[in-house]
Amino acid sequence: MRVLKTLALILLGALVIPYVLTPFYRTGHPVSTLMVWRHLSGAPVSRHWIDLNAMSPYLPRSVVAAEDAHFCKHHGVDLGALREAMRDAEDGERMRGASTITQQVAKNLFLWQGPSVIRKALEFPLALWIDMVLPKQRILEIYLNIAELGPSGQFGAETASAFAFGHSAAMLSPREAALLASILPNPRLRSARTPGPGVRRLAGTYMARAQVVSTCWRDNRAF
């Protein structure tokens, strides 16, 4: 009985810790669970933090256009996109991803990779909480600094830009920003450094979408 109580307390603590930590992530340079895991397992990890307002203005626009067109409107979970994905699945179509940028931040900061019903169940309320306690620009800043964006342990926009194009994310052109957005969420299968026809086609689409992406705030030149 004591062992069960101990295990229950450990489980409860694991569930509560992300909610306690999230308000502290208004500042600092958080890392993802995947970065920690790769480091502990001896795999290469490279990440150099860059503030959102120091990035090229084209990058956040391209990533929002590619990953979460309603980022500025929803509250962490895009119920409309989720319903559309479920309808597609019911019609026999392949299930489309409906994860918002905020959900991906929740997963990357506190949960694990790979498809999992349990992870999704934990991810939804956590995304709502993150959206409640962190500003939109901070959520996007964290995402652009912890997303896996290279084939061999490159994380975040700054390292990815240096790897793919040889310069800082502050200098990304519209095309380069769209190419980085196009390799999400499969940077090991897609390349911004040597883009194939599919990646180039996606980049063209995201460049066009980025021109009309909705704005969230006025104090960042990217929006």
Side-chain angles (χ1 to χ4, degrees):
M1 183 63 69
R2 180 175 295 179
V3 172
L4 290 177
K5 288 183 178 180
T6 301
L7 291 175
L9 288 173
I10 292 173
L11 179 59
L12 180 61
L15 293 174
V16 169
I17 284 173
Y19 293 88
V20 174
L21 288 179
T22 296
F24 294 97
Y25 286 159
R26 293 179 70 93
T27 60
H29 299 166
V31 299
S32 70
T33 53
L34 180 57
M35 293 168 68
V36 172
W37 173 252
R38 286 182 64 90
H39 180 74
L40 291 176
S41 63
V45 176
S46 179
R47 195 279 297 272
H48 299 283
W49 185 277
I50 180 170
D51 292 343
L52 185 67
N53 59 12
M55 296 177 192
S56 162
Y58 304 112
L59 183 60
R61 278 186 175 272
S62 294
V63 169
V64 169
E67 293 288 285
D68 188 359
H70 298 142
F71 175 69
C72 299
K73 300 177 181 178
H74 62 64
H75 297 289
V77 176
D78 189 344
L79 297 178
L82 184 60
R83 284 193 294 268
E84 289 180 12
M86 293 176 67
R87 280 198 298 266
D88 289 346
E90 290 173 357
D91 292 338
E93 299 180 25
R94 184 177 179 181
M95 184 73 172
R96 296 182 295 110
S99 291
T100 65
I101 286 174
T102 313
Q103 286 176 251
Q104 293 180 63
V105 167
K107 176 187 70 176
N108 290 342
L109 282 180
F110 301 117
L111 303 172
W112 59 93
Q113 306 297 312
S116 168
V117 174
I118 295 175
R119 196 205 74 211
K120 278 292 182 184
L122 296 173
E123 183 181 291
F124 274 52
L126 186 52
L128 295 172
W129 174 245
I130 289 172
D131 188 85
M132 184 182 300
V133 300
L134 297 182
K136 288 284 188 181
Q137 59 266 47
R138 178 58 176 172
I139 294 170
L140 187 56
E141 181 176 68
I142 291 173
Y143 178 68
L144 290 170
N145 278 283
I146 64 174
E148 188 178 16
L149 278 167
S152 51
Q154 290 86 12
F155 289 84
E158 183 71 355
T159 300
S161 180
F163 174 78
F165 310 117
H167 56 69
S168 169
M171 301 170 62
L172 287 169
S173 69
R175 180 178 179 275
E176 290 169 340
L179 284 170
L180 284 182
S182 299
I183 67 174
L184 292 165
N186 297 309
R188 301 182 194 183
L189 300 178
R190 304 173 183 173
S191 174
R193 191 176 192 174
T194 55
V199 170
R200 292 197 298 269
R201 186 167 54 251
L202 282 175
T205 299
Y206 297 151
M207 282 179 65
R209 290 182 185 175
Q211 300 303 313
V212 296
V213 70
S214 58
T215 60
C216 301
W217 55 87
R218 298 295 180 184
D219 60 347
N220 184 281
R221 61 193 177 94
F223 291 82

